[in-house]
């Protein structure tokens, strides 16, 4: 079963099930309880957005989805799952995709090694393709840059000197580059010019920035009874995202409140939330999201390929923009 986001796109939905099968086939761990836990993650109803975009951009370019593109989509999703498992250890998250996180069911150390195993598995999946040396270099570079982005976020935790440009650099590495790799891998053709292939990369990069910024808004705007987690979870974890960074420009004294680390109470968070509202931090982030959405549309308009599938990307982006409303 795939996420409801793909139900309107049966070709992608069907191929995502093949992607899942490839992931499951590649994973072979002797400790069967750990194998079963990873399989549980794969079967859980995650969005599979990166893999889906990889397949959709293959349709844009070629009008079909080859076995190579399926393996690349599986590699990207496996890499993404590895980073999620590592993130949950860092954030002490009890759930992932509505199932118990592996560090809860087992231990932090087992979770870290399981994530490491999946990183290697992603490399094995890429190696099964017939792509040229240039595409392999692109995958290696993107993987290194994404992990560097994760390190950057960790070292910036509770950083009082965090600035908006630093934050954009951080989410570019942590989130946007994997989206960029997804669209690039799907669209890539060795016989196409480097300039044309890179157009798909830059579309994906903007999609990733757009996606992360909408996630920032969800953290501020979601009802805790509906989302299942406290409002301002990022601030509680020392992650200063777009709404608070915009607000600090108007209310610098907010920094004293958000720097309390683990001692922030629900009442403290509600006060911070009201100040972010008053400072216009949420509205400023919404405007930035809208600018990225416009950029995506402009770049898609210049991307050579089959119009019907480009329109499907636009529909998916429009649907994702509703997540934060």
């Amino acid at each position: 079963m795939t996420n409801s986001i793909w139900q309107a796109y049966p070709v992608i939905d069907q191929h995502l099930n093949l992607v899942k099968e490839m992931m499951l086939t590649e994973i072979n761990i002797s400790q069967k309880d750990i194998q079963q836990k990873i399989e549980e993650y794969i079967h859980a109803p995650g969005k599979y957005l990166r893999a889906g975009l990889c397949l959709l951009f293959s349709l844009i370019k070629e009008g079909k989805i080859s076995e190579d593109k399926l393996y690349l989509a599986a590699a990207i999703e496996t890499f993404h799952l590895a980073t999620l498992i590592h993130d949950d250890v860092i954030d002490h998250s009890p759930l992932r995709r509505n199932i118990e996180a592996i560090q809860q069911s087992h231990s932090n150390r087992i979770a870290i090694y399981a994530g490491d195993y999946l990183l290697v598995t992603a490399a094995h999946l890429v190696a099964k393709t017939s792509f040229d040396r240039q595409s392999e270099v692109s995958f290696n570079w993107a993987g290194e840059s994404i992990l560097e982005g994760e390190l950057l976020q960790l070292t910036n935790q509770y950083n009082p000197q965090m600035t908006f440009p630093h934050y954009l650099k951080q989410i570019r590495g942590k989130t946007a580059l994997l989206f960029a790799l997804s669209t690039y891998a799907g669209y890539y053709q060795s016989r196409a010019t480097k300039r044309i292939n890179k157009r798909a990369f830059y579309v994906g990069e903007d999609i990733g920035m757009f996606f992360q910024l909408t996630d920032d808004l969800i953290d501020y705007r979601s009802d805790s009874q509906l989302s299942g987690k406290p409002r301002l979870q990022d601030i509680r974890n020392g992650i200063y995202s777009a709404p608070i960074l915009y607000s600090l420009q108007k209310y610098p004294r907010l920094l004293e409140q958000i720097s309390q680390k683990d001692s922030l109470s629900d009442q403290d968070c509600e006060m911070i939330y009201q100040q972010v509202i008053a400072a216009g931090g949420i509205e400023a982030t919404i405007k930035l999201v809208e600018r990225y959405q416009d950029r995506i549309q402009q770049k898609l308009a210049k991307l050579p390929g089959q119009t019907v599938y480009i329109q499907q990307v636009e529909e998916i982006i429009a649907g994702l923009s509703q997540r934060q409303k």
Side-chain angles (χ1 to χ4, degrees), residues 49-60:
L49 190 56
R50 296 151 190 83
L53 285 171
C54 178
L55 301 180
L56 192 47
F57 272 70
S58 177
L59 289 173
I60 289 172

Side-chain angles (χ1 to χ4, degrees), residues 24 27-29 31-39:
L24 292 166
I27 295 166
N28 185 20
I29 301 174
Q31 294 86 352
K32 293 308 174 186
D33 58 325
I34 300 173
Q35 169 105 8
Q36 289 168 5
K37 190 65 187 179
I38 292 175
E39 290 174 354

Side-chain angles (χ1 to χ4, degrees), residues 139-166:
F139 265 84
N140 292 341
W141 170 81
E144 291 169 6
S145 299
I146 291 162
L147 295 176
E148 186 178 348
E150 296 279 1
L151 284 170
L152 188 60
Q153 175 173 286
L154 188 58
T155 55
N156 277 328
Q157 201 171 18
Y158 299 107
N159 178 8
Q161 305 302 319
M162 186 69 167
T163 66
F164 204 85
H166 286 150

